[in-house]
Amino acid sequence: MNIIGIIGAMPSELSDIRKALGNGEIKRVSGFDFYINNIHGKTVINVCSGIAKVNAAVCTQVLIDNFDVDAVINAGIAGGMNNEVKVCDMVVSDEVLPHDLDLHFLKDYPPYCGIFKADPKLIETAVSVCEKQGVKSFVGRIVSGEAFISDNAVKNDIKQRLDPYAVDMESAAVGHCSYLNSTPFVSVRCISDNADDEGAMSFDEFEKIAAKRVADVVLEMIQVL
């Protein structure tokens, strides 16, 4: 993989990645600033999409159309949804889907797919890097929706319906767009909170720690791929 795209929703999710990559070219396309670096013999492009599924989908399509990436890594933080997953653990997606849309509308109409599978090589690389760095990781389903989940009742409803490992606001859109373009993708998310009644407080406390941890993993993934 010679050209790798990294998408983060918030500036804080990309801050440590950009510091490590150093100064590079910045190209503005369709309202997004794409930071372009050459490292380890690869071209690495990182971009802040903005929060939620529409921003993430548009950004992913612009990335794919303009930079011919070989893979897309969605890097960031997320809420934990599985009882075994703790704050600062890593969740690597094996599949992504929306939690706030009846999948009938995706499965029975274009694109005739409602659950988007991550790339096996990218999954394997992420897990291997986590193990090397001593970060506990889980491979599982990540679901996305148009809300920050910080309510026990809402969390339990999502868990009962979809049995995810993590919840965020972008992974499903990145996966959906990557699927339509036959582009390998994976979402790598560090848990900042448990998506429960204490979620907002935990997010504020652990956001920067979780963002740094996922940055370290993604930066080493780039070397290995």
Side-chain angles (χ1 to χ4, degrees), residues 53-157:
K53 296 201 294 290
V54 172
N55 279 330
V58 174
C59 183
T60 306
Q61 190 62 56
V62 175
L63 172 68
I64 291 170
D65 283 345
N66 288 273
F67 298 96
D68 196 27
V69 292
D70 297 312
V72 175
I73 301 173
N74 182 209
I77 58 183
M81 296 291 283
N82 181 288
N83 292 340
E84 294 184 14
V85 177
K86 308 302 181 185
V87 170
C88 291
D89 288 346
M90 204 75 64
V91 175
V92 179
S93 66
D94 61 356
E95 59 187 24
V96 297
L97 64 153
H99 66 71
D100 55 357
L101 175 67
D102 186 339
L103 293 187
H104 153 74
F105 294 115
L106 296 176
K107 292 188 295 184
D108 296 338
Y109 301 93
Y112 303 107
C113 178
I115 300 175
F116 307 101
K117 301 289 186 181
D119 179 74
K121 181 178 179 180
L122 294 174
I123 296 170
E124 180 183 358
T125 301
V127 171
S128 175
V129 169
C130 286
E131 184 176 352
K132 181 179 177 182
Q133 294 186 1
V135 176
K136 190 172 184 179
S137 67
F138 298 84
V139 176
R141 172 179 284 185
I142 298 177
V143 297
S144 308
E146 302 300 296
F148 178 83
I149 306 302
S150 58
D151 181 279
N152 284 341
V154 175
K155 174 181 180 176
N156 289 334
D157 173 67

Side-chain angles (χ1 to χ4, degrees), residues 9 15 21 25 36 39 47 89 91 100 109 125 135 142 151 177-178 181 209:
S15 175
L21 292 176
E25 179 186 358
I36 306 166
I39 187 170
V47 57
D89 288 346
V91 175
D100 55 357
Y109 301 93
T125 301
V135 176
I142 298 177
D151 181 279
C177 189
S178 297
N181 288 274
I209 297 171

